Each structure stands twice: as C-alpha cells, then as structure tokens.
C-alpha cells in the first residue's frame, strides 16, 4: 500500500534505537524525510547513516539528525533551528525509573511529568498550527500499554503518560480535527528493546533468577508468545501517519501481542 506521505517531513524523537528507530525506519521507507533526535550524538549519527544506507536506491528521503535532549527547552530550540515545520511528529521519551512510589520525591515526579507529558504537549503546540494551515498533520505519541493496564512499579510512567492521554483526548477533538490534523497515542506492550532488557535484568537481580528465566516467564504472559519488534511497531506508526488514516484521531492504539485482557 502506498501510504501517500512520500516527500513529507517528520520529526521522530528518541530515534537512535528501539521503538523510535523503528518508526523512523518505517517512515523513511515510505519516502518521508526525517529529522531524528536523541541525546547520544555518536549513536544518533550511526543510526542516520544506517537509515540512509538501508534505503539507498529505494527511497529518496532525506535524513537529518540533531543530538539534543528533547525534554529541555534548549533541546527543542536546537531541533526547531534546523527545521521549524513538520507534517508528522512522533513524540517519544525514555520512561522514568521503576520502583516503589514511597521512594519518589517531588523532583522525581516533576521529571517524569516533564519528559512524558509536558514535552509531547510542547511539541504538539509548536507544530499543529502549521499542520492545520497546510491541511495535513499527523502526531503520534509513543506512550505505554501501562496507560490501559497500570503496573505498580511503573507508577511514575502510569501517572505522567495518563496525563498526556487525557490531554490528547481533548485536543484531538478540537477544530484541528477538521483541518486535517490527527493526534493519536501508540501504546507498546513488551518489545525487544534495551528498555525491556534492562527491566528484566533488574527483575532477575531482585529475584535471583537468570535473565533468560525472567524473559521466558514474561513471554508466557503474552498470547503471541513473543516480544514485539521495533520494525513491526514502526509499521503501525507509519500507517497512523498515512493519508489513509485521516479518519483516526484521539485514539489509543494498543500494540501488545494480545497481553491486555480487557474487551475495551
């Protein structure tokens, strides 16, 4: 399927690896020009080079990169100094630490809310009016399946991402919807990323089990009996950014191999 977005410009955050990289890869394959952002300059430059090499001869998309912390005003200013207008924005920031809520002070909560709620809102605010003026815009926020099925040790993430979800539910149904701008949240379950591996290593250390044993137990809780891949996550993101997805807005799209047990 031709997604009808070749030649568009996308900003993809947290794109040096993991789910952000999967989204950038899928968009470049569709001919979308991308500006990828992450904090690690070396890893980001390598990712940009790989995106270009992997799509040589099949996509004429441009790949730019900016090593910056998108959760800071200075980081966002650096990004928008390179390019101001985007047709597609994929927001993504690393999740806050796991733990017991009793150990989190006010600063921990503010950092979580700033990265996982306020930063996406700032990026939405900075780009949607330009999208609306041009009659096309797609914003996809990478959140978490924990928004629908909270996990006790992910309290910082549960709270901050739920705040973003509530905000998006309103703004996605504002007059922007009638101006060709869609805003959706993409909720990953267990994907084979550094974040998941780090969490499993932590669980293994606490329980005295091996990482392999923790991973096997986790897989068995997923009806698909496996972890997802960044590539298939990126494909879902690319569809939400497509011309064909113009009638989908304000939605929380769960991609978790069937792990969420609810009907709604």
């Amino acid at each position: 399927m031709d997604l009808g977005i070749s030649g568009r410009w996308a900003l993809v955050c947290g794109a040096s690896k993991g789910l952000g990289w999967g989204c950038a890869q899928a968009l470049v394959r569709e001919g979308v020009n991308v500006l990828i952002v992450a904090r690690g300059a070396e890893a980001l430059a390598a990712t940009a080079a790989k995106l270009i090499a992997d799509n040589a001869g099949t996509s004429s998309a441009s790949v730019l990169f900016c090593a910056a912390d998108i959760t800071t005003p200075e980081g966002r200013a650096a990004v928008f100094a390179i390019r101001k207008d985007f047709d597609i924005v994929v927001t993504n920031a690393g999740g806050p630490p796991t733990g017991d809520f009793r150990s989190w002070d006010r600063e921990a909560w503010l950092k979580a809310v700033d990265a996982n709620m306020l930063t996406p809102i700032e990026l939405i605010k900075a780009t949607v009016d330009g999208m609306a003026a041009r009659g096309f815009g797609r914003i996809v926020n990478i959140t978490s399946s924990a928004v629908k099925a909270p996990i006790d040790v992910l309290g910082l993430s549960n709270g901050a991402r739920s705040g973003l979800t509530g905000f998006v539910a309103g703004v996605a149904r504002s007059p922007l919807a009638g101006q060709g701008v869609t805003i959706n949240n993409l909720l990953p379950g267990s994907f084979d990323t550094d974040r998941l591996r780090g969490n499993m290593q932590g669980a293994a250390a606490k329980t005295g089990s091996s990482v392999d044993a923790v991973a096997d137990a986790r897989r068995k809780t997923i009806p698909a009996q496996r972890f997802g891949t960044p590539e298939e996550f990126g494909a879902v993101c690319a569809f939400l950014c497509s011309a064909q997805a113009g009638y989908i807005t304000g939605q929380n799209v769960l991609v978790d191999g069937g792990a969420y047990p609810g009907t709604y």
Side-chain angles (χ1 to χ4, degrees):
M1 179 188 291
D2 179 356
L3 298 185
I5 49 177
S6 179
R8 300 283 187 183
W9 271 96
L11 170 63
V12 185
C13 303
S16 62
K17 59 185 178 181
L19 302 182
W21 170 81
C23 294
Q25 180 195 57
L27 290 170
V28 170
R29 285 178 175 174
E30 291 297 324
V32 176
N33 305 303
V34 299
L35 171 55
I36 58 175
V37 186
R39 286 175 292 182
E42 187 175 342
L44 189 64
T47 295
K50 181 172 172 53
L51 285 171
I52 293 169
D54 288 351
N55 293 280
T58 61
S59 172
S60 59
S62 298
V63 178
L64 306 179
F65 63 94
C66 178
D69 184 350
I70 198 69
T71 68
T72 66
E74 296 78 12
R76 293 189 289 275
V79 167
F80 290 119
I82 295 174
R83 185 176 180 88
K84 183 178 180 181
D85 293 323
F86 295 94
D87 307 296
I88 295 165
V89 174
V90 180
T91 76
N92 179 36
T98 61
D100 187 317
F101 76 94
R102 297 171 185 83
S103 67
W104 298 324
D105 59 15
R106 177 178 174 80
E107 186 61 27
W109 279 106
L110 291 176
K111 282 185 68 175
V113 169
D114 197 37
N116 298 118
M117 177 183 173
L118 297 182
T119 291
I121 291 173
E122 290 290 344
L123 293 172
I124 292 169
K125 184 170 71 172
T127 56
V128 289
D129 289 335
M131 293 175 178
R134 295 186 296 274
F136 181 94
R138 300 286 185 266
I139 293 178
V140 176
N141 303 299
I142 300 176
T143 63
S144 170
S145 61
V147 171
K148 284 185 70 72
I151 300 168
D152 61 348
V153 297
L154 297 181
L156 290 171
S157 179
N158 296 341
R161 296 189 196 279
S162 293
L164 175 63
T165 303
F167 169 78
V168 167
V171 73
R173 294 170 174 85
S174 74
L176 290 166
Q179 296 171 292
V181 180
T182 70
I183 309 175
N184 293 290
N185 303 316
L186 196 48
L187 285 56
S190 297
F191 277 79
D192 187 10
T193 63
D194 288 351
R195 167 81 169 175
L196 178 66
R197 288 187 287 273
N199 287 346
M200 291 191 297
Q201 286 169 357
K206 286 181 180 179
T207 62
S209 302
S210 69
V211 174
D212 286 344
V214 171
D216 287 342
R218 184 76 170 268
R219 281 191 202 93
K220 290 174 182 175
T221 68
I222 304 168
Q225 295 289 292
R226 65 178 179 86
F227 300 130
T229 69
E231 291 86 351
E232 61 190 331
F233 185 86
V236 179
C237 178
F239 176 74
L240 287 176
C241 297
S242 71
Q244 291 88 340
Y247 208 52
I248 303 172
T249 196
Q251 301 304 304
N252 295 293
V253 180
L254 191 60
V255 188
D256 71 346
Y260 174 65
T263 303
Y264 303 109

